[in-house]
Amino acid sequence: MNVVLFLVKLFTSVKMMDSNLVSTIIPSYAKVTAHIGNAITPEVSYDSATKTVTSIIDAETWKKAINEIGSDSNGNKTISIDVKEVLGAQAYVQQLPSYIISSDTGQFHIKIKTPLASIVVPSDMFHGSNLKDEQVGLRVGLADTSKLDDKVKNEVGTHPVIELSVQS
């Protein structure tokens, strides 16, 4: 629950900073190069026009990972997705089957690690939201800070500012 509140705060901040969200292309396929324990390292595709890296986890890969991982003392599972760095990338989109983050229970968490940021998403993040698309994209990107007013720029200083969004 704490993670959801944290993400909601970030979404609110992003919306205030820049309402122009970058759309990305979705590659037609991707394959998993490594699946060790609770970590998945998917192949990535890079769109040089949008400077966006996209990776896809399909239902078969997800089922294999969720079946192989053990639970913690509370009965929860955490699956890590390690997205490879691509030089020059300004955004990373992780595509997942939508049912993964719209389950009835929060029995597992998805930790998506990108070079820009790591996020943890509970499996019930969109419970009851009726996601219509088969795939959903979780996007982490660098925010355009040039549109921020001087006061906010001073508060941010040299710290990176990211945008988080969900694409469906």
Side-chain angles (χ1 to χ4, degrees):
M1 189 61 161
N2 292 339
V3 173
V4 174
L5 294 174
F6 175 70
L7 290 175
V8 169
K9 282 186 177 180
L10 285 176
F11 283 125
T12 304
S13 299
V14 169
K15 190 172 184 180
M16 289 172 31
M17 289 188 290
D18 186 6
S19 61
N20 299 320
L21 295 178
V22 178
S23 61
T24 61
I25 63 166
I26 299 171
S28 59
Y29 69 92
K31 60 183 177 179
V32 173
T33 56
H35 176 209
I36 302 168
N38 67 341
I40 301 169
T41 304
E43 285 293 323
V44 299
S45 65
Y46 181 64
D47 180 350
S48 59
T50 62
K51 297 183 178 181
T52 301
V53 172
T54 302
S55 57
I56 299 174
I57 301 297
D58 61 20
E60 181 180 325
T61 301
W62 181 257
K63 286 177 188 174
K64 182 177 178 183
I66 203 74
N67 287 331
E68 290 179 5
I69 183 174
S71 299
D72 65 15
S73 60
N74 296 324
N76 295 316
K77 297 182 177 190
T78 300
I79 305 278
S80 292
I81 300 171
D82 299 334
V83 182
K84 296 177 189 175
E85 181 175 13
V86 175
L87 293 177
Q90 294 184 1
Y92 289 81
V93 177
Q94 179 59 61
Q95 293 284 326
L96 301 164
S98 59
Y99 71 85
I100 292 174
I101 58 172
S102 59
S103 72
D104 294 341
T105 62
Q107 291 182 332
F108 57 87
H109 294 87
I110 305 103
K111 181 175 187 178
I112 301 171
K113 296 190 272 185
T114 76
L116 300 179
S118 292
I119 60 172
V120 178
V121 179
S123 60
D124 60 352
M125 182 172 174
F126 291 104
H127 168 65
S129 66
N130 295 328
L131 293 174
K132 295 183 188 325
D133 293 335
E134 287 185 27
Q135 291 275 22
V136 64
L138 301 174
R139 182 182 183 279
V140 177
L142 293 175
D144 178 6
T145 58
S146 66
K147 298 176 184 175
L148 299 174
D149 63 44
D150 289 338
K151 181 181 178 187
V152 175
K153 283 182 184 178
N154 287 334
E155 289 179 15
V156 170
T158 60
H159 299 287
V161 179
I162 62 168
E163 293 178 335
L164 295 175
S165 61
V166 176
Q167 302 170 334
S168 126

